[in-house]
Amino acid sequence: MKILVPVKQVSVLDDEFEMRDDGRDVDEDFFEKDLNEFDHFAVEEALLIKEAAGDGAEVVIVTVGDDDADDALRTALAKGAERGIRVWDDALADADSIAIAKVLAKVVEREAPDMVFTGAQSADFGHATTGMALAGLLGWPHAAVVSKLDYAFGAETATLHRELEGGLEEIMTVKCPAVLSIQLGINQPRYASLRGIRQARQKPVDELELGDLGLAAADVASASRVRRMYAPEKGQAEIIEGSAAEQAARLAEIVKELRGI
Amino acid sequence: MAEILVIAGQRDGELRPASLEAIAAAKSVKAEGDNLAVAIIAADPSAYVGDLSVEGVDEVITVSAGSNDFQPELVEAVVLSLAQARKPTVIATAHGVDAWSFAPAAAVKLDCGFASDVQALKYEDGDLVATRAGYAEKVLVDLDFPGKETVLATIRTNVFEPAGGAASPTVTAMDAPDCAVATSHVGWQEPADAGGIDIPGSEFILSVGRGVGDESNVEQFLELADEMGATLGCSRPIADNGWLPKARQVGQSGQLAANCRLYIAMGVSGSVQHQWGMKHVETIVAVNTDPEASIFSIARYGIVGDMFEIAEELENQF
């Protein structure tokens, strides 16, 4: 009884930033790192199912990332997951979501979980790709943007809601094992307790390189390459200065002007 | 002569309108002599030929399926079968929730180039280049696809003007390929009754985000919106917490502020999914205590300050 949850350490960009010399990414001095918001919900959903199942069930967190990504892994472990796996290799420096999915596919083969839950997308790039690419590689059933889930270990199918555009939801069943991408709002993610955070430091984390998974660099080719990265032309906002009263007065002017009052 | 393929979509028998935007994106890289084919999978796919016969479309491929249900494995099998037979340079489809399910899986099965949420396609020195946003919309990224003959791109909605005009494409009928389908449609759950709240129709929206802090603070913004003649909107966490009904949620999984001309975002950080619903609005005013909030990067006017103080002062102005 095991659910595998791949998580991502996302990058939050400072307001002011500079590009790397090669113009293909932002200089890493201008980032803060955090566990992807969507992944909090995927982890929570896995923990709820594990806790309902009782003894013998486990939640395993996996991330593909360098030393920095350890924080994201420990954040998820602190909430109550049993153990972690962190895969990194310098060959993954330019990996896109498809390449990451190729790594994760090997981790799934190794762990043989009952289900895989990912976040529906990442908060930084919003590719919404890794989870469903993983399903495609594994040939597993899959559903994206799951906003409600009814599943217990051992069940042949899970019943779920897919959150569609405009608030419509589709109710469907999916055969298990499956890869599901989890939408915000499906649950109320817990905060890690202080005890959980302390315990997370002691929890086992397997640190693997590509070779440990039987992969060579050529096996984890990306499906795209960053040609260049740049700030959009759209300028910064015109900042309205002054006291709150002055700012509000200017804002009221803008409103009245546009509304023709 | 290249082949360009668009995967149109239907939901419960209705053509997904963003299919016409995906066609427009495909047209943007179509050269003289290229064949632009649009595939539609449905129980009665011929019913969509009229709607898909827009300018630039040379061929409509009608794929007969047993039902109108969305089955990701079936779409993937169709994409694979068409791609292998036709070797398209580009496969475009709308970046909607259905594509989130099937497009990445189809891309790995096809081992093609892949980019999601694409805002622009172009050729540079013979290389296809796809532009998408990154780092919560703070940067743009140009992607290329070395060594890939086919690139699957999911196209961001509300970027391309939907393809229109009339055309007389050839129609090619195709049976759905055999494939194991792992999902089964059970039913639909309609969004809760909007109770007269009309985000898509509103010209002026005042929106609150996480900065509102507590449910008890929401009421004063309802009143302020009312006084100013605005519709109150909100970001996802506010609706998820049940502080405001889902009908007020602006963003990818909520409403599109389709007719909005003035959007005041208070305490909204500006996540990608929120921006989806409002980024296009001509005049956006952002009020946020965090000068680094990404909402400022798309706003025309910004106020770095406390939303409650500003709200209180605004009330005196109306």
Side-chain angles (χ1 to χ4, degrees), chain B residues 75-85 105-106 109-110:
Chain B
V75 187
E76 291 153 27
V78 170
V79 172
L80 237 64
S81 153
L82 286 172
Q84 282 161 355
K109 290 178 185 176
L110 200 55

Side-chain angles (χ1 to χ4, degrees), chain A residues 13 25 37 124-125 127 142 162-163 165 169-171 173 175 184 225 227-228 230 238 240 256, chain B residues 76 97-98 116 124 132 135-136 138 140 142 144 184-187 189 210 236 253 300 302 317:
Chain A
L13 209 53
D25 205 338
E37 183 184 7
D124 53 358
F125 276 82
H127 289 117
H142 49 286
R162 273 198 317 137
E163 188 179 89
E165 288 82 359
E169 297 190 9
E170 180 182 15
I171 307 159
T173 61
K175 288 181 186 161
L184 303 174
R225 180 182 70 174
R227 195 171 179 115
R228 64 179 79 85
Y230 48 101
E238 176 189 321
I240 301 170
K256 287 171 184 172
Chain B
E76 291 153 27
V97 174
D98 288 354
S116 65
E124 276 183 24
R132 73 188 310 285
Y135 297 124
K138 287 184 178 175
L140 290 173
D142 284 353
D144 56 19
S184 180
H185 175 79
V186 175
Q189 183 175 299
R210 274 190 231 263
R236 174 156 197 141
S253 51
R300 182 156 163 199
Q317 303 277 341

Side-chain angles (χ1 to χ4, degrees), chain A residues 106-160:
Chain A
K106 283 291 174 191
V107 174
V108 171
E109 278 175 24
R110 184 183 150 119
E111 289 288 327
D114 295 88
M115 293 289 261
V116 176
F117 296 167
T118 68
Q121 60 180 325
S122 61
D124 53 358
F125 276 82
H127 289 117
T129 297
T130 311
M132 297 302 108
L134 172 61
L137 291 163
L138 296 168
W140 280 24
H142 49 286
V145 198
V146 172
S147 58
K148 195 173 176 186
L149 176 62
D150 185 3
Y151 168 78
F153 287 110
E156 284 179 14
T157 61
T159 302
L160 57 85

Side-chain angles (χ1 to χ4, degrees), chain B:
Chain B
M1 261 197 27
E3 178 87 9
I4 300 172
L5 181 63
V6 173
I7 307 298
Q10 52 84 17
R11 177 166 296 152
D12 203 17
E14 297 282 327
L15 181 71
R16 297 294 299 150
S19 302
L20 297 174
E21 299 172 29
I23 293 173
K27 271 174 68 179
S28 74
V29 284
K30 184 187 177 189
E32 186 87 33
D34 288 351
N35 186 57
L36 199 170
V38 181
I40 176 83
I41 306 166
D44 177 18
S46 59
Y48 306 85
V49 170
D51 286 344
L52 294 172
S53 296
V54 291
E55 225 167 274
V57 175
D58 302 294
E59 180 184 8
V60 176
I61 304 167
T62 56
V63 186
S64 298
S67 76
N68 285 333
D69 295 352
F70 171 68
Q71 296 166 328
E73 291 87 358
L74 175 61
V75 187
E76 291 153 27
V78 170
V79 172
L80 237 64
S81 153
L82 286 172
Q84 282 161 355
R86 292 164 173 253
K87 313 272 181 229
T89 50
V90 175
I91 306 172
T93 194
H95 187 66
V97 174
D98 288 354
W100 288 33
S101 251
F102 77 78
V108 293
K109 290 178 185 176
L110 200 55
D111 195 22
C112 63
F114 182 69
S116 65
D117 203 16
V118 168
Q119 313 178 5
L121 288 170
K122 65 181 170 205
Y123 280 97
E124 276 183 24
D125 309 325
D127 298 335
L128 183 72
V129 173
T131 304
R132 73 188 310 285
Y135 297 124
E137 308 284 309
K138 287 184 178 175
V139 300
L140 290 173
V141 188
D142 284 353
L143 297 171
D144 56 19
F145 311 91
K148 301 291 186 185
E149 286 174 11
T150 296
V151 173
L152 200 170
T154 68
I155 307 299
R156 175 173 284 204
T157 41
N158 304 316
V159 173
F160 287 89
E161 189 70 27
S168 310
T170 57
V171 177
T172 307
M174 169 182 161
D175 284 329
D178 280 332
C179 69
V181 166
T183 59
S184 180
H185 175 79
V186 175
W188 303 102
Q189 183 175 299
E190 300 289 337
D193 181 28
I197 300 160
D198 184 14
I199 293 287
S202 297
E203 288 196 342
F204 177 21
I205 295 168
L206 168 69
S207 223
V208 292
R210 274 190 231 263
V212 77
D214 191 86
E215 186 171 12
S216 61
N217 295 331
V218 170
E219 184 63 30
Q220 70 192 85
F221 290 93
L222 271 166
E223 287 166 13
L224 176 62
D226 201 39
E227 283 165 28
M228 292 199 299
T231 302
L232 187 70
C234 66
S235 65
R236 174 156 197 141
I238 307 307
D240 278 348
N241 286 340
W243 298 352
L244 282 170
K246 195 92 181 159
R248 293 197 187 273
Q249 183 191 319
V250 177
Q252 215 157 27
S253 51
Q255 306 294 320
L256 174 69
N259 289 295
C260 187
R261 293 169 55 232
L262 173 60
Y263 191 96
I264 303 179
M266 297 185 121
V268 176
S269 62
S271 66
V272 183
Q273 53 272 19
H274 188 75
Q275 290 192 19
W276 181 93
M278 46 69 75
K279 195 180 179 207
H280 58 278
V281 176
E282 196 181 333
T283 305
I284 297 168
V285 186
V287 181
N288 206 299
T289 48
D290 176 10
E292 292 176 7
S294 57
I295 191 84
F296 286 116
S297 65
I298 58 159
R300 182 156 163 199
Y301 301 102
I303 294 176
V304 180
D306 181 290
M307 64 187 281
F308 296 101
E309 281 180 35
I310 300 294
E312 206 170 294
E313 294 291 345
L314 258 183
E315 276 178 46
N316 300 330
Q317 303 277 341
F318 289 88

Side-chain angles (χ1 to χ4, degrees), chain A residues 63-99:
Chain A
T63 194
V64 179
D66 61 12
D67 294 353
D68 264 3
D70 203 55
D71 286 346
L73 199 59
R74 301 284 170 185
T75 302
L77 291 174
K79 290 166 179 273
E82 272 61 33
R83 58 192 173 86
I85 300 167
R86 185 169 66 79
V87 186
W88 187 243
D89 201 295
D90 290 341
L92 293 168
D94 285 332
D96 71 357
S97 306
I98 299 280

